[in-house]
Amino acid sequence: MAAKIISGKEISKEIREELKKEVQELKEKHGVTPGLVTILVGNNPASVSYVTAKQKAAHDLGFYSVQDNQPEDISEEALLDLIKKYNEDPKIHGILVQLPLPKHIDERKVIYAIDPRKDVDGFHPVNVGKMVIGEPCFLPCTPHGILVMLERAGVEVDGAEVVVVGRSNIVGKPVANLLLQKRKPVGNATVTVCHTGTRDMAFHTRRADILIVAAGRPKVVTADMVKEGVVVIDVGVNRIGTTPEGKAILCGDVDFESVKEKAAAITPVPGGVGPMTITMLMKNTVEAAKLWAGLPCEVA
Ligand code: GUN
């Protein structure tokens, strides 16, 4: 039986409608306009397209939004100064520095420089630490988006065997951590993490009730590696070519065509996790604005 498609595009649309109302209310009742700056260093095509989508979403929701483009050769010191400026800017509640950064800039220093109260990416160690011990904080956007997708798609996570492929700081580690927590409504799973050192990946993936793939390589999970009825979340976005019109041809880390014949549910690429990541960034920015205004919020 072909799988149910979990559409991140549709779920995102629902959440963005909810956020739009919340932003309107924040403006009317409290005089607060959520403010987001996205800092882009250089012009890596994938980063340009991600940042453009983030800015468009912020604009559509009625945020105060700033796109700050910096040259590829900006010094580390100048970038740290820029972050300091936005840390002190009362109109800005969320700061996002698009990664990866050029090699001459230490990403760690940049992440540490962002005020944790404006860290809408959830990458600052203060937020990472709070997340691990289950305290309110900014959750990283892709893992948070995955949790919300599972919740809104009605997937039973409590007690499930979850297998995560990939151990990055942005996706694999945090999503594994969140799903093993005694967290409602999505959590309390038994979690296995596979990575490049895993001897027999298929042994693990075949046991999964829920399989989350963030390997960063196209179509590494094939139908023979999953069991019937699995729920598959494909985090990969791989550019495998270009259309005659010049548009990127994308595929996930999962071989969608074959795996969808065995899965109970699966996310597509594009239109799956990608839109959710951006939506959760918007959610974090609204929460950051509420935090700044001293209103009840989910991050403190
Ligand atoms: N590069 C790839 N994903 C992300 C993300 O979620 N946030 C930032 N800042 N950079 C990224």
Side-chain angles (χ1 to χ4, degrees), residues 47 50 54 96-100 121 123 141-142 170 277:
S47 294
Y50 290 138
K54 289 168 186 176
L96 179 139
V97 181
Q98 187 66 28
L99 303 176
D121 255 329
F123 292 169
C141 302
T142 302
I170 295 184
T277 297

Side-chain angles (χ1 to χ4, degrees), residues 23 26-27 32-36 62-65 91 93 282 285-286 289:
V23 172
L26 271 174
K27 286 183 181 177
V32 177
T33 302
L36 174 69
F63 287 10
Y64 167 66
S65 59
K91 292 204 295 299
H93 306 107
M282 301 300 122
T285 307
V286 170

Side-chain angles (χ1 to χ4, degrees), residues 171-239:
V171 185
K173 279 184 208 155
V175 82
N177 195 278
L178 287 164
L179 288 170
L180 66 82
Q181 292 184 17
K182 260 192 178 169
R183 203 174 174 280
K184 280 190 189 297
V186 174
N188 211 29
T190 301
V191 182
T192 303
V193 181
C194 297
H195 45 75
T196 47
T198 300
R199 286 203 196 104
D200 183 353
M201 192 162 81
F203 167 80
H204 297 284
T205 57
R206 279 190 205 114
R207 290 177 32 252
D209 300 318
I210 300 169
L211 180 61
I212 299 173
V213 189
R217 276 174 295 134
K219 301 185 185 182
V220 288
V221 171
T222 47
D224 57 309
M225 294 168 68
V226 303
K227 75 174 176 190
E228 289 283 344
V230 64
V231 173
V232 180
I233 306 290
D234 188 352
V235 184
V237 182
N238 303 287
R239 291 166 179 246

Side-chain angles (χ1 to χ4, degrees), residues 45-287:
S47 294
V48 170
S49 97
Y50 290 138
V51 163
T52 305
K54 289 168 186 176
Q55 276 297 321
K56 183 180 179 311
H59 179 264
D60 290 349
L61 289 177
F63 287 10
Y64 167 66
S65 59
V66 177
Q67 173 56 43
D68 193 327
N69 292 319
Q70 294 294 329
E72 180 87 19
D73 62 356
I74 186 176
S75 69
E76 186 179 274
E77 194 187 355
L79 183 58
L80 295 176
D81 282 347
L82 189 66
I83 292 169
K84 187 165 181 281
K85 181 187 93 170
Y86 288 119
N87 278 341
E88 289 163 5
D89 184 341
K91 292 204 295 299
I92 294 294
H93 306 107
I95 301 171
L96 179 139
V97 181
Q98 187 66 28
L99 303 176
L101 289 167
K103 290 210 166 32
H104 67 279
I105 298 174
D106 183 346
E107 273 182 14
R108 247 189 62 207
K109 278 194 195 161
V110 170
I111 291 169
Y112 275 64
I114 297 170
D115 185 329
R117 293 166 301 179
K118 295 193 177 189
D119 171 36
V120 285
D121 255 329
F123 292 169
H124 192 286
V126 164
N127 285 312
V128 176
K130 285 183 174 177
M131 178 198 69
V132 170
I133 58 175
E135 279 189 24
C137 62
F138 291 107
L139 296 179
C141 302
T142 302
H144 195 185
I146 293 170
L147 262 53
V148 172
M149 279 178 113
L150 290 170
E151 180 189 348
R152 297 214 178 190
V155 177
E156 179 70 31
V157 178
D158 195 329
E161 291 286 340
V162 172
V163 176
V164 177
V165 180
R167 59 175 155 189
S168 70
N169 288 338
I170 295 184
V171 185
K173 279 184 208 155
V175 82
N177 195 278
L178 287 164
L179 288 170
L180 66 82
Q181 292 184 17
K182 260 192 178 169
R183 203 174 174 280
K184 280 190 189 297
V186 174
N188 211 29
T190 301
V191 182
T192 303
V193 181
C194 297
H195 45 75
T196 47
T198 300
R199 286 203 196 104
D200 183 353
M201 192 162 81
F203 167 80
H204 297 284
T205 57
R206 279 190 205 114
R207 290 177 32 252
D209 300 318
I210 300 169
L211 180 61
I212 299 173
V213 189
R217 276 174 295 134
K219 301 185 185 182
V220 288
V221 171
T222 47
D224 57 309
M225 294 168 68
V226 303
K227 75 174 176 190
E228 289 283 344
V230 64
V231 173
V232 180
I233 306 290
D234 188 352
V235 184
V237 182
N238 303 287
R239 291 166 179 246
I240 51 167
T242 320
T243 65
E245 298 80 40
K247 267 187 82 176
I249 301 170
L250 304 177
C251 82
D253 292 352
V254 174
D255 180 20
F256 182 84
E257 288 308 320
S258 68
V259 172
K260 82 174 191 321
E261 298 304 320
K262 279 175 96 175
I266 187 167
T267 61
V269 178
V273 175
M276 291 302 293
T277 297
I278 297 177
T279 299
M280 300 328 286
L281 173 69
M282 301 300 122
K283 164 113 181 121
N284 277 352
T285 307
V286 170
E287 294 301 320

